[in-house]
């Protein structure tokens, strides 16, 4: 943080004298206000309004040298520094203001914005909340907090804060548009369209908001009535800028599946499968939303789906869906052991866990069914060996023995886990660890979800593991986002008897 240095009082008074000589109006202003510091502040604020940030800062610094205990002038200076992108100086000035007046809601609001620009979300959130505690009517504080939560992908919190901001400042079209985007992510399509309509009444929507509004109205119509009719109406709702219909159908299927609107999703799935009846991805995902009984995802689905997904996998899963499975799971492993002689990354994908796992031992083998994913994993340069294989088949035929098998986001493609756990036990040395993640189910041992993944109950895992493993670690935590909502998962570390 940069400390803001003030000119000497003598220099500031000299400036006042110079301004008096050059500008009779300034002299009259000083006489009228009977205070040189206040007059200089007035000049500083006027220069700011005119866009002359350098002159504004000079005048405010001079004013503060004459009246350094003015919290308001320190706040003004912070605002001008912030506008000039001198974030360090802005931070220093606003903290000086808060030392003089810690009860100023406006100063806390400015600090929140500065912390946000400094990429310090914890400090920004604390400052926004302090602002609201001091004055809950400040819509900008709720808006800033909502945007902060949005960037953190905490969409429920973002919706709450933005809804308050919209209530406090109903004539702010930007707030309404941001609320529309959050509601869309949270699958409240009716509310999303209403928020976009409120924004449109206050000014023209940006192109992305117009597209989201058309999608929201179309998806809501699919939920309420005929999918076919909703698709026919979509070009009109898109107002002359329709997206490709294939893209709309694909995304509608994905979003409605994830948000639990399975009847509409199944109708979309049938449309998609009719277009490409031999597509294993479309066939399996239709089975998933239709409730077809299966015990594992078919190999042709796994291979085809992830081959297509591989180039965008890291970007989509980590950034868009906030996937944290490998990080949390490896942290749990390190609670029990840090060094291994031979590690197997089961279903390694693009190698999201490779950097962490390679730090744990000299040999790291990755196995995956998708050639596309293995090609991406190869780019990481962390694996001793990469093998294309179905994972149970690999474990069954391989003569290698491992002291850590790492299976993040892999068992979710198996309903019946008994063959996989038995094969893993065979491939582990005595005392070796099996680290895995599952999505948590409720009633049946395993359930096929509309996403095409399986959920399992903790009791089911414990029963299957009992014969070959001891449970070292079992925690519940978030794994990823699904329709804007965190998906709860089970993180387990098992030790081979």
């Amino acid at each position: 943080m940069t400390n803001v240095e003030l000119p000497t009082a003598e220099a500031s008074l000299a400036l006042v004298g110079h301004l008096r000589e050059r500008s009779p109006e300034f002299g009259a202003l000083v006489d009228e206000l009977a205070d040189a510091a206040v007059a200089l502040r007035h000049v500083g604020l006027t220069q700011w309004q005119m866009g002359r940030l350098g002159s504004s800062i000079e005048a405010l610094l001079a004013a503060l040298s004459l009246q350094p205990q003015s919290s308001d002038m320190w706040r003004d200076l912070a605002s001008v520094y912030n506008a000039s992108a001198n974030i360090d100086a802005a931070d220093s000035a606003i903290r000086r203001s808060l030392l003089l007046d810690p009860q100023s809601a406006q100063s806390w609001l400015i600090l929140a914005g500065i912390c946000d620009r400094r990429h310090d979300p914890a400090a920004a959130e604390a400052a926004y909340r302090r602002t609201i505690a001091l004055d809950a009517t400040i819509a900008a504080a709720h808006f800033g907090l909502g945007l902060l939560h949005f960037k953190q992908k905490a969409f429920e919190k973002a919706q709450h804060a933005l809804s308050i901001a919209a209530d406090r400042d109903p004539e702010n079209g930007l707030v309404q548009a941001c609320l529309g985007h959050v509601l869309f992510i949270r699958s409240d399509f009716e509310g999303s369209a209403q928020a976009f309509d409120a924004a449109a009444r206050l000014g023209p929507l940006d192109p992305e908001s117009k597209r989201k509004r058309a999608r929201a109205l179309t998806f809501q119509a699919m939920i309420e009535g005929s999918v076919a009719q909703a698709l026919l109406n979509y070009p009109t709702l898109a107002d002359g800028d329709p997206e490709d219909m294939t893209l709309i159908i694909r995304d509608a299927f994905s979003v409605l599946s994830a948000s639990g609107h399975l009847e509409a999703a199944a109708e979309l799935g049938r449309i998609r499968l009719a277009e490409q009846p031999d597509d294993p991805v479309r066939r399996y995902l239709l089975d998933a939303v239709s409730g077809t009984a299966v015990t594992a995802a078919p190999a042709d689905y796994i291979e085809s789906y992830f081959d297509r997904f591989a180039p965008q996998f890291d970007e989509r899963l980590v950034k868009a869906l906030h996937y944290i499975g490998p990080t949390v799971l490896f942290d749990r492993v390190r609670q029990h052991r840090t060094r291994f002689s031979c590690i197997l990354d089961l279903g390694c994908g693009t190698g999201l866990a490779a950097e962490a796992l390679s730090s744990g031992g000299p040999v790291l083998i990755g196995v995956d069914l998708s050639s596309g994913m293995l090609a991406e994993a190869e780019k990481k340069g962390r694996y001793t060996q990469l093998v294309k294989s179905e994972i149970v088949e690999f474990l069954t035929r391989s003569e290698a023995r491992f002291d850590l098998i790492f299976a993040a986001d892999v068992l979710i493609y198996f309903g019946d886990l008994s063959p996989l756990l038995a094969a893993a036990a065979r491939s582990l040395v005595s005392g070796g660890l099996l680290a895995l993640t599952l999505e948590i189910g409720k009633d049946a041992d395993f359930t096929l979800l509309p996403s095409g993944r399986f959920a399992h109950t903790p009791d089911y895992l414990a029963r299957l593991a009992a014969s070959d493993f001891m449970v070292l670690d079992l925690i519940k935590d978030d794994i990823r986002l699904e329709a804007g909502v965190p998906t709860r998962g089970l993180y387990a570390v098992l030790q081979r008897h």
Side-chain angles (χ1 to χ4, degrees), residues 476-490:
K476 297 178 182 179
D477 202 347
D478 294 340
I479 289 185
R480 68 165 66 76
L481 295 176
E482 188 81 32
V485 178
T487 297
R488 296 294 283 175
L490 193 69

Side-chain angles (χ1 to χ4, degrees), residues 56 58 76 119 198 210 313 334 344 388 418:
S56 175
E58 182 182 12
D76 295 338
H119 306 292
K210 288 178 67 175
F313 185 81
R334 287 190 299 186
L344 175 63
K388 182 182 186 302
S418 52

Side-chain angles (χ1 to χ4, degrees), residues 246-486:
T246 301
L247 182 66
I248 291 296
I249 293 172
R250 184 200 70 186
D251 290 354
F253 175 78
S254 176
V255 169
L256 295 182
S257 297
S259 56
H261 299 291
L262 301 186
E263 186 175 340
E267 189 172 345
L268 286 161
R270 288 188 286 272
I271 292 172
R272 297 179 77 232
L273 189 59
E275 293 172 347
Q276 295 185 26
D278 296 327
D279 188 325
V281 175
R282 297 186 182 197
R283 183 173 61 250
Y284 175 66
L285 291 179
L286 176 57
D287 285 345
V289 298
S290 301
T292 303
V294 294
T295 59
D300 59 352
Y301 161 75
I302 296 289
E303 188 166 7
S304 180
Y305 179 75
F306 286 102
D307 278 351
R308 298 176 196 176
F309 199 13
Q312 301 85 34
F313 185 81
D314 289 8
E315 179 81 14
R316 170 88 176 136
L317 201 63
V318 177
K319 293 187 177 180
L321 300 182
H322 203 51
Y323 175 57
I324 57 174
T327 302
V328 176
L329 184 59
F330 190 65
D331 284 344
R332 302 316 304 174
V333 169
R334 287 190 299 186
Q335 302 299 313
H336 305 281
R337 195 163 154 193
T338 57
R339 294 298 296 174
F340 302 90
S341 60
C342 192
I343 302 171
L344 175 63
D345 188 1
L346 202 61
C348 64
T350 62
L352 283 175
E355 183 174 358
L357 290 175
S358 63
S359 69
V363 178
L364 174 61
I365 298 173
V367 177
D368 204 281
L369 188 55
S370 164
S371 298
M373 300 294 267
L374 289 170
E376 297 298 319
E378 181 81 40
K379 297 175 185 178
K380 301 285 197 300
R382 298 282 184 171
Y383 290 95
T384 311
Q385 182 183 4
L386 288 165
V387 180
K388 182 182 186 302
S389 175
E390 194 279 329
I391 60 177
V392 176
E393 179 184 339
F394 173 84
L395 291 169
T396 301
R397 63 178 168 79
S398 174
E399 295 304 318
R401 293 294 178 265
F402 307 95
D403 48 359
L404 172 61
I405 296 178
F406 192 85
D409 233 31
V410 178
L411 276 64
I412 56 173
Y413 294 105
F414 296 82
D416 181 3
L417 297 180
S418 52
L420 195 154
L421 288 178
R426 174 189 173 278
S427 296
L428 279 167
V429 299
S430 178
L433 303 184
L434 170 62
L436 59 90
T437 63
L438 295 171
E439 292 188 25
I440 300 175
K442 293 182 180 179
D443 300 319
D445 288 344
F446 58 87
T447 306
L448 178 60
L449 303 174
S451 62
R453 302 188 299 269
F454 286 87
H456 303 83
T457 64
D459 286 346
Y460 174 64
L461 174 64
R463 289 200 318 272
L464 288 184
S467 60
D468 294 310
F469 295 96
M470 175 175 64
V471 177
L472 296 183
D473 208 337
L474 199 64
I475 65 165
K476 297 178 182 179
D477 202 347
D478 294 340
I479 289 185
R480 68 165 66 76
L481 295 176
E482 188 81 32
V485 178

Side-chain angles (χ1 to χ4, degrees), residues 31-52:
D31 292 338
E32 179 183 345
L33 297 174
D35 190 332
V38 175
L40 285 166
R41 181 191 184 196
H42 178 84
V43 171
L45 295 176
T46 301
Q47 294 294 299
W48 182 17
Q49 291 173 350
M50 297 172 68
R52 299 170 181 168

